[in-house]
Amino acid sequence: MKKIKFLLRAILACIVITSCSEDFLDERPTNFISFEDYKESSIINPELAAAPLKGIYNQMVTAYIGGTESQEDFGHKSFDLMSDLLSSDLAQVTGAYNRFVPFANLAWTVDPTINIPNFTAWRFYFTLIKSANLVIDGAGGNDAVPSSDELKAVLGQAKALRAFSYFYLSQYYAVEYDAEKPILPIYTLPAQAAQPKSKMSEVYDLMISDLTSAISLLSNFNRANKAFINQNVARGLLAYVYASTGESSKNILAMNLANDVINSGEFTLMDKNEVTGGFTKLTTPGWMWGFDITEANGLGLVSWHGFMDFYTYAYQAVGNNRGIDKGLYDNIHSNDIRKTQFGSPSRSGGFTQGASPLIPAQKFYNLNKQWLGQRVITDDYIYMRVAEMYLLSAEMAAVEGDNISARNRLKELLSKRFDNAADYAYVDTLSGQDLIDEIVFQTKIELIAEGKSYLLMKRRKLNNTRGANHLNRAGETFTYNDPRLTFSIPQRELTDNPNINSQNK
């Protein structure tokens, strides 16, 4: 942990040195710039404060950022992929090269000495938290209200990133929402000593406070591109936080936030062409947040595309396949455009819809469609899109008994997935649990392989049964609170942190 703190400060010092003006360097020693210098200067110069913030966004896509040499270690999208496998909505269909096979067989999460995902997720998200704390402190601290919009934007993004990290930690390392159960250590300062677990309610209070503050601080922020968190992304994150508690009052807050995003008009639902168009561009109008991958990021085989895109030089192309659960696929309406996303691609460029291994090769694919063609990744990463807000709004409305609002939000999405309104007219006959179940199903097939199925499973306390195309445990049913579906606190944390000596499950 001390090494991480030292490394972060060293990186920060380098950023400060390369970002300062010549006049500033004339007035201070150039061989070392202290954190105090950085903090003082960044308040004066918001561009200085923004430099390490950009570094956090880059950390999110960096290969091996979880501290291992494993090819399953590639930042936030690695956990999106793993959580989809845990939910069983995404199937590990074949096992060449053994990548993700033991994980999908539920062998890794039960042993805290296994790094993937127990250590990598813990290290990755706490690294983001520590980096965010440096930026927050440099922008004036947790309670600061900067005078400039530029510094407000820096502080707001850093708080949102800290909350984002704690949210995923709370989902992966806690079986379910239990306000009184200690689950995670809270760190809000750059050089904090090792902390004990805080109660789940305290972790949630921090997330809610951070995101509420971020929404306010980002009110005048116009981002350069969607790699940065803006006000609507912060709203979307807060909606997920509220929805995950299962509390009625929080459900309503989540629905209102999702509606605020929709009603802002900043994004439009992806249409039929876009949802079968590759998911490669951050500029897609329906995308809320993602990352613009360029050659400079140096991504290749060790990347999300490497494990999901048949046309990338990596595992999906050579027999280590992940596809939609067959039972889920079979229930998709025949006239639904999303049914065309799944099947069997050929090396010559053909595609057989509905054939094993049900790869989402007509959803996520390099536009050149050349087998093994993309060797240096330039296709972008997706973190959040506005369709999630339509579905979350519908879900929360249905759970709270507002059937009309739920149906209307769901039909807005379905109108972009069907040519004929008669195909989804049945939605108007649904209410209560039947309506909730339909929204759950539509969420699963809309967001398959986007890292949201696991959140849904825990939020709605689902039992999922694996279809016939899973390599392991086909036909088995798993409950949301099965301890095998929750990560173990890594052994290194149990050994190195004297304040933590027990699991959460």
Side-chain angles (χ1 to χ4, degrees), residues 12 26 32 100 145 148 160 182 246 273 280 292 295 308 327 334 370 394 396 419 445 448 478 490:
L12 187 57
D26 287 341
F32 176 76
F100 285 108
V145 182
S148 73
N273 292 327
T280 62
D292 182 14
E295 290 186 5
M308 288 304 301
S334 59
Q370 178 185 347
M396 295 297 101
D419 288 326
I445 61 174
I448 188 72
F478 300 93

Side-chain angles (χ1 to χ4, degrees), residues 370-418:
Q370 178 185 347
W371 181 64
L372 298 176
Q374 182 177 219
R375 298 198 173 209
V376 178
I377 306 298
T378 56
D379 290 342
D380 297 337
Y381 276 179
I382 173 70
Y383 297 149
M384 183 186 293
R385 56 189 176 103
V386 77
E388 299 171 39
M389 298 297 104
Y390 281 82
L391 289 161
L392 191 61
S393 173
E395 179 190 332
M396 295 297 101
V399 168
E400 293 304 313
D402 186 353
N403 294 324
I404 294 174
S405 295
R407 292 177 195 136
N408 287 340
R409 279 297 186 217
L410 182 58
K411 287 190 296 182
E412 286 180 85
L413 175 73
L414 296 180
S415 71
K416 302 294 186 180
R417 306 293 172 258
F418 291 91

Side-chain angles (χ1 to χ4, degrees), residues 354-369:
S356 180
L358 290 175
I359 293 172
Q362 292 292 89
K363 180 177 182 179
F364 306 108
Y365 59 88
N366 181 261
L367 298 183
N368 290 329
K369 284 197 171 184

Side-chain angles (χ1 to χ4, degrees), residues 308-328:
M308 288 304 301
D309 176 22
F310 181 79
Y311 301 104
T312 290
Y313 184 82
Y315 291 104
Q316 185 77 301
V318 291
N320 185 263
N321 298 136
R322 280 151 297 280
I324 188 172
D325 175 89
K326 189 175 188 309
L328 197 56

